[in-house]
Amino acid sequence: MKLGVSTYSLYQAMKSGEMDIHAVIDWVADQGAVHVEIVPLGFELAGNLELADAIRLKAESRGLEISNYAIGANFLTDSDEAYEKEIERVKAEVDIAARLGVKKMRHDVARTDDTSIGNFNRQLERMAEACRQIADYALSFDIVTSIENHGYFVQHSDRVQTLIQAVDRPNFRTTLDVGNFMCVDEDSVSAVKKNLPFASMVHVKDFYLRPTYEHPGSGFFQTTQGNHLRGAIVGHGDIDMREVLRVIKRSGYDGYISIEFEGMEECKTGTLVGLENVKRIWAEIE
């Protein structure tokens, strides 16, 4: 297991101007992480190859691997022209991933207000074809592309698997987020067991969960079935994190694990406590 941190965890500090991406990389290295995952929020890499080069060199200078490059995308466009344009845009992001030196890249697939299974079935081939083209392009760089379980539309464990199987490329897998299944009211332990065999890497995130009838106030958002979630420090929330990590460890998974923090606490504190909790729990479980 290679434990590291997603730069997304420190977005709060980048947004406020307290840190830039170079300071984030320094901070991650100072906490004893093995890798850093690059998520371009708080900075922009598209059209900024000099910054991509600087990030690669900065990580190298601090002894950090860059594990993954994670970007947004949406192939449910209003026209075929826009669809092809979005595919080409994501291919250009693959070029940036190669520039960073990564061998894993996550791109989103779709956003839509109609998150029904019927619409998923109707849109499956359109999404799959876009992912095929990008995976085929990424193969020339020896990069594995992936979809993360988020965005409500392709977030359920079964829908993620269905898309992976429809794409049918050995270098298209899933960035498995142990927390995001809760957004579509799936149990994290069960969903991790189902999708771990398809994982190119793992995000460890935690949430507080409250039922539909118990609105907890500001800071929470709703799941597809109206339950309430709020980001938590990993190990502090309502996910059975010890069992999730036990499932991952017993599977023999030895790849990258990224801490993701999106809680209301100060981001450096929240990220560090989560990192320490995962280290401790991993050492304790069998």
Side-chain angles (χ1 to χ4, degrees), residues 38-192:
I38 302 299
V39 183
L41 289 172
F43 59 98
E44 183 65 53
L45 293 185
N48 193 354
L49 297 181
E50 294 81 4
L51 181 56
D53 291 340
I55 287 171
R56 186 188 73 251
L57 293 172
K58 180 69 172 180
E60 287 175 358
S61 74
R62 293 307 312 268
L64 285 175
E65 298 176 42
I66 301 179
S67 53
N68 191 41
Y69 180 50
I71 65 155
N74 181 20
F75 302 118
L76 300 190
T77 57
D78 294 331
S79 67
D80 290 342
E81 181 182 2
Y83 176 74
E84 295 298 336
K85 186 175 181 180
E86 181 70 344
I87 291 172
E88 291 307 311
R89 184 190 68 80
V90 176
K91 286 181 180 179
E93 294 279 16
V94 173
D95 294 338
I96 292 174
R99 193 109 178 190
L100 288 168
V102 303
K103 294 302 179 184
K104 301 181 189 299
M105 174 181 159
R106 183 219 80 189
H107 62 80
D108 290 333
V109 172
R111 295 187 304 274
T112 177
D113 292 333
D114 183 356
T115 60
S116 68
I117 187 63
N119 193 39
F120 174 81
N121 288 334
R122 287 190 296 273
Q123 303 292 350
L124 178 59
E125 180 53 30
R126 185 176 184 86
M127 295 186 294
E129 178 55 25
C131 295
R132 283 185 207 109
Q133 291 187 36
I134 294 160
D136 289 345
Y137 181 73
L139 188 61
S140 64
F141 299 100
D142 195 27
I143 289 174
V144 174
T145 56
S146 65
I147 177 176
E148 185 172 346
N149 51 308
H150 72 184
Y152 293 102
F153 190 51
V154 195
Q155 191 155 2
H156 315 68
S157 56
D158 286 346
R159 293 192 191 186
V160 170
Q161 284 194 40
T162 299
L163 180 62
I164 291 170
Q165 291 164 12
V167 173
D168 193 25
R169 293 294 187 272
N171 67 318
F172 182 73
R173 297 175 67 77
T174 183
T175 291
L176 191 160
D177 189 302
V178 307
N180 281 347
F181 294 113
M182 294 178 73
C183 302
V184 289
D185 301 283
E186 278 196 277
D187 171 69
S188 289
V189 175
S190 298
V192 168

